[in-house]
Amino acid sequence: MTFPQFAYKNITRNLRSYLAFYLSSSFAVMIFFMFAMFIFHPALEKGYMNTIAKKGMVFAEWVIFGFSIFFILYSASAFLKTRKKEFGILSIQGASPKQLRQLITCENIFIGMVSILTGIFGGTVLAKMFFTAGTYIVEMEALPLYLPWKAFVLTLGVFFLLFTFISQFTLFIIRSENTISLLKGTEKPKKELKPSLILSFLGVLFLGTGYGMALVAKTNMTTGAIILILTVIGTYLFYSQLSVWILKLLKRNKQFYRKGTNLLWISDLMYHVRDNARLFFIVSIVSAVAFTSTGTLAAMKSVMPKQVSPFEMELISYPMNKEETNQLDFIQQQFGNLNINYTQKRIEGIDIYQYENIQKETFYRLLVISDKDAASFFPGLKKMKLKNGEGIYYGSYAGDQENFHRNKSSIKLIDQNMNIVLQSIEQPISSLAQILVINEEDFKQLKHNSETLSIYGFQIPNWKETLDISQTIDRYIVGETYNPNAEYDSKAIDYYVNVQLPSLSLFIGLFIAIIFVLAAGSFLYFRLYTDLYEERKKYKSLAKIGLSEREMIRNASIQIGILFFLPFILAVIDTGFALHVLQREGGFPKVFQNGVISILGFFGLQLLYFIVIRSSYIKNLREYVYR
């Protein structure tokens, strides 16, 4: 029998041992492949939004691959711990270090190739659903399926190199241990961690200070970094030091400690506390990042302003704008190049600066137009009858009428010696300015003392497909920063900035967050199955002296529950303070509500993961202990 055959039979005869490593590897490959299919999709080759979406997916792709390296390495090391005794037996039977290296390399290559093929197959099956979800959230045109040979080559290449690297990594671990150490495997006793009083106090101090600053401190880059550092260090010290004190306090409470199976799970956690502390810390930080980022992205998307203008494009040309004719010709040329049918309208207006607060010298811009022109210029605007001194105010964005003139019944036009009584305050009708519609006679009076500007409106069909020419027009009229003589706005640009970009960020962030949370659950899964053989022997011995099956299930369930939900609880606390800061300082009034929804969603995912793993784990224990 050759070594490749031996490696193959070794895998097929111990599928349960290899299953966790194989599934985690396949999952990482599948996610990477689906993002690669998105990146290389031929429909994303052209178009400004498509280019941005592609760049965002490329960024997410390499974030996922970087995390996959860490994830698969952790999986491999956890899997390796359960096989050390097997390697020790092979060494005693005469296997040379070179043969062990060959065996491990063959096994990793076998598992890696099967994982790659399975992941690619799973990604292909789920690709349509992934495309549909992505284009729905980002609000792009639907993407059809295609033959993803570039994605296939990229995925195969990078993960083949990764599994080759992992095989060498595992060889380094095996080479560094002697035969006796390998034979002991996971049965080597671990010293109980003795907590430090000073470090425990520092943990409380760091967490308390970090949370306190999050509640009251004015947040900037410096204080934000300090809060983050204090919280991260405090979280680690909480698990590595404070958790030991808590367990010791529970142990000293004899009435609680000796009740039922409490003695078992408390003693087990005391014994494994060092490994659990590191694991809890990793899971808490990863989960907190996932919760916070998802809640923040969802809040950003929910507060973005809606389209308010009846025109697909708007241009305001001020009196000093000498390029007005050239700008109009350029816009018309862009429409002509793409054979776009359009309707162009023009209206005169007067630009007036109004004080919002005279003491603070804060002001806002107001465009004044006549009621006669307004009714003919703005589509859907009904004819209005305004008397002298009356007007109707239209804000510049949704909700503006509530913010600026909530309690105002009139507007005094500064330096114009005219007071306008507001007949009503209405929803915005322009994306560029706040508009005051007044009686035509009043408007003619203002024209004697002011220069007029030109407001142009363009109506075009299929405006969502005009992002490219809108960007071109914007660069021509406005330039890279600002043009004081003209203002331009396009629904396509507003839609891209306010809807598509936040949606793309939400889609990428949500997917990465789900991967992080699933990976955190996998870390816990590997932690459990690394110690499974020891746990089975322990419960077998306890069953002989009277431990019932029900007590074993209860004890195992408590340990699994602590592993799964203690890091989740601390992650929720960290997320709550982070969201509080973002709501207070970041200008996102709904970030906390979105964060709660995000946490509930991830809790459902975590609960499902807990139920599945608990069922599998207890079934494994029951079959061995009470068969």
Side-chain angles (χ1 to χ4, degrees):
M1 181 185 296
T2 63
F3 252 87
Q5 290 174 329
F6 178 62
Y8 173 75
K9 290 191 175 183
N10 202 26
I11 294 172
T12 55
R13 290 170 181 172
N14 298 279
L15 282 177
R16 178 174 287 181
S17 299
Y18 292 87
L19 188 61
F21 181 43
Y22 158 71
L23 290 176
S24 61
S25 301
S26 296
F27 177 75
V29 173
M30 182 181 70
I31 299 303
F32 185 91
F33 180 69
M34 286 196 295
F35 270 86
M37 286 185 69
F38 208 110
I39 291 168
F40 291 112
H41 201 290
L44 299 182
E45 294 296 328
K46 296 180 181 180
Y48 189 80
M49 179 59 204
N50 292 342
T51 302
I52 295 298
K54 190 172 182 177
K55 289 180 179 179
M57 293 297 176
V58 169
F59 170 76
E61 179 82 311
W62 294 111
V63 168
I64 291 168
F65 182 66
F67 192 77
S68 296
I69 294 174
F70 172 71
F71 180 47
I72 295 176
L73 280 175
Y74 184 90
S75 304
S77 62
F79 169 59
L80 195 63
K81 288 180 182 178
T82 64
R83 303 187 59 219
K84 285 185 177 181
K85 181 179 289 188
E86 176 187 335
F87 296 141
I89 293 172
L90 288 174
S91 297
I92 289 178
Q93 291 179 339
S96 66
K98 181 179 178 181
Q99 289 174 320
L100 279 180
R101 290 196 294 271
Q102 188 178 355
L103 173 65
I104 295 171
T105 301
C106 287
E107 288 181 355
N108 276 282
I109 296 300
F110 280 145
I111 297 174
M113 291 306 298
V114 174
S115 298
I116 291 171
L117 294 176
T118 307
I120 289 175
F121 176 76
T124 304
V125 171
L126 297 176
K128 183 59 180 177
M129 184 174 65
F130 181 75
F131 287 169
T132 303
T135 53
Y136 174 77
I137 295 176
V138 181
E139 301 191 33
M140 296 169 56
E141 292 295 324
L143 298 177
L145 286 174
Y146 74 108
L147 183 63
W149 67 269
K150 290 183 180 179
F152 177 82
V153 171
L154 176 66
T155 305
L156 183 64
V158 296
F159 276 94
F160 180 79
L161 292 175
L162 176 58
F163 284 111
T164 303
F165 166 74
I166 288 173
S167 66
Q168 302 309 307
F169 169 76
T170 55
L171 290 175
F172 174 78
I173 295 177
I174 294 299
R175 194 185 302 122
S176 64
E177 298 196 38
N178 55 41
T179 303
I180 298 299
S181 178
L182 290 173
L183 282 171
K184 290 183 178 179
T186 58
E187 296 178 0
K188 292 181 291 184
K190 301 175 184 178
K191 294 181 180 179
E192 183 179 314
L193 185 66
K194 294 182 180 179
S196 166
L197 186 60
I198 296 175
L199 292 178
S200 299
F201 174 76
L202 288 175
V204 175
L205 180 64
F206 286 169
L207 277 180
T209 305
Y211 291 157
M213 290 180 66
L215 284 175
V216 298
K218 187 72 176 177
T219 306
N220 50 42
M221 290 294 292
T222 303
T223 56
I226 292 173
I227 292 172
L228 178 63
I229 293 170
L230 290 175
T231 304
V232 169
I233 296 176
T235 301
Y236 180 76
L237 292 177
F238 171 82
Y239 288 129
S240 63
Q241 304 297 327
L242 286 175
S243 61
V244 185
W245 281 111
I246 293 172
L247 290 171
K248 283 184 174 290
L249 289 175
L250 291 176
K251 196 172 182 179
R252 289 175 184 174
N253 187 339
K254 302 301 182 183
Q255 185 177 357
F256 177 80
Y257 182 63
R258 294 173 179 173
K259 183 179 180 180
T261 58
N262 291 348
L263 181 147
L264 290 178
W265 65 263
I266 293 175
S267 299
D268 285 341
L269 285 179
M270 290 288 293
Y271 185 75
H272 298 298
V273 71
R274 185 185 299 273
D275 290 335
N276 288 333
R278 294 167 186 167
L279 180 66
F280 286 173
F281 170 71
I282 293 171
V283 173
S284 287
I285 297 301
V286 167
S287 300
V289 170
F291 301 161
T292 305
S293 60
T294 307
T296 303
L297 290 169
M300 288 175 62
K301 181 172 170 57
S302 68
V303 300
M304 291 301 174
K306 298 179 180 179
Q307 301 292 333
V308 298
S309 174
F311 296 106
E312 281 67 53
M313 293 184 186
E314 292 180 84
L315 171 66
I316 296 179
S317 177
Y318 294 103
M320 68 288 293
N321 185 21
K322 298 179 180 179
E323 297 293 323
E324 180 177 333
T325 302
N326 293 334
Q327 291 166 354
L328 290 173
D329 289 342
F330 186 82
I331 293 174
Q332 293 163 2
Q333 180 185 355
Q334 296 302 311
F335 291 153
N337 291 341
L338 296 176
N339 296 319
I340 296 176
N341 296 321
Y342 68 95
T343 302
Q344 177 180 319
K345 290 185 176 182
R346 177 185 176 276
I347 189 176
E348 282 188 329
I350 298 172
D351 187 27
I352 296 177
Y353 284 92
Q354 289 293 109
Y355 281 110
E356 182 184 350
N357 189 314
I358 297 178
Q359 287 75 24
K360 294 183 179 180
E361 295 187 353
T362 57
F363 56 86
Y364 59 93
R365 203 172 206 173
L366 191 64
L367 292 187
V368 181
I369 60 177
S370 73
D371 54 356
K372 181 180 178 181
D373 291 340
S376 62
F377 180 74
F378 289 102
L381 201 63
K382 296 180 181 179
K383 289 185 179 181
M384 54 197 79
K385 294 182 180 180
L386 297 174
K387 298 178 182 178
N388 289 345
E390 288 186 342
I392 299 176
Y393 171 79
Y394 298 88
S396 61
Y397 57 88
D400 185 68
Q401 68 279 3
E402 297 177 3
N403 295 331
F404 283 91
H405 298 287
R406 183 178 299 170
N407 300 316
K408 290 187 178 181
S409 58
S410 65
I411 296 178
K412 182 175 179 59
L413 302 181
I414 306 299
D415 298 330
Q416 300 295 329
N417 194 28
M418 184 179 291
N419 188 64
I420 301 298
V421 177
L422 295 180
Q423 191 181 86
S424 64
I425 298 174
E426 304 293 340
Q427 294 289 334
I429 54 174
S430 172
S431 298
L432 289 175
Q434 302 170 70
I435 291 179
L436 178 65
V437 178
I438 62 175
N439 176 272
E440 187 177 6
E441 295 299 323
D442 290 336
F443 184 76
K444 289 179 180 179
Q445 181 182 336
L446 290 178
K447 286 178 66 174
H448 290 297
N449 303 321
S450 308
E451 291 184 290
T452 60
L453 52 79
S454 297
I455 306 172
Y456 294 91
F458 301 88
Q459 289 180 291
I460 55 177
N462 302 322
W463 59 267
K464 289 183 180 180
E465 301 175 7
T466 63
L467 178 60
D468 289 342
I469 67 167
S470 296
Q471 295 278 6
T472 303
I473 295 171
D474 185 72
R475 285 191 295 269
Y476 181 82
I477 296 176
V478 180
E480 295 297 327
T481 54
Y482 170 70
N483 183 353
N485 300 324
E487 290 187 64
Y488 169 79
D489 189 61
S490 162
K491 274 189 177 181
I493 294 176
D494 292 341
Y495 185 73
Y496 161 71
V497 173
N498 297 329
V499 178
Q500 289 186 305
L501 272 185
S503 298
L504 177 63
S505 302
L506 177 61
F507 174 68
I508 294 174
L510 178 62
F511 224 88
I512 292 176
I514 291 173
I515 292 169
F516 280 10
V517 170
L518 289 176
S522 297
F523 292 155
L524 298 170
Y525 173 85
F526 289 126
R527 173 67 257 168
L528 286 169
Y529 276 85
T530 298
D531 296 330
L532 177 61
Y533 295 99
E534 290 182 57
E535 293 297 300
R536 292 196 309 185
K537 290 181 180 179
K538 179 189 72 177
Y539 283 119
K540 187 78 171 180
S541 300
L542 291 172
K544 291 178 180 179
I545 59 174
L547 183 71
S548 68
E549 183 176 341
R550 183 178 179 181
E551 289 173 328
M552 181 195 72
I553 293 173
R554 181 175 180 273
N555 185 70
S557 298
I558 291 174
Q559 289 193 63
I560 298 172
I562 291 173
L563 279 173
F564 268 81
F565 294 109
L566 179 60
F568 187 91
I569 291 171
L570 195 63
V572 169
I573 295 172
D574 289 343
T575 302
F577 284 99
L579 294 176
H580 173 77
V581 172
L582 289 169
Q583 182 163 295
R584 189 187 68 212
E585 304 288 345
F588 300 115
K590 295 183 179 180
V591 70
F592 206 87
Q593 295 92 314
N594 284 279
V596 171
I597 295 172
S598 169
I599 289 170
L600 290 175
F602 283 116
F603 175 76
L605 187 64
Q606 185 85 341
L607 183 62
L608 179 63
Y609 213 159
F610 165 75
I611 292 171
V612 171
I613 290 178
R614 174 191 173 276
S615 176
S616 174
Y617 186 79
I618 289 178
K619 180 182 178 182
N620 200 305
L621 286 178
R622 185 189 287 121
E623 288 177 353
Y624 181 84
V625 177
Y626 294 99
R627 61 184 176 184

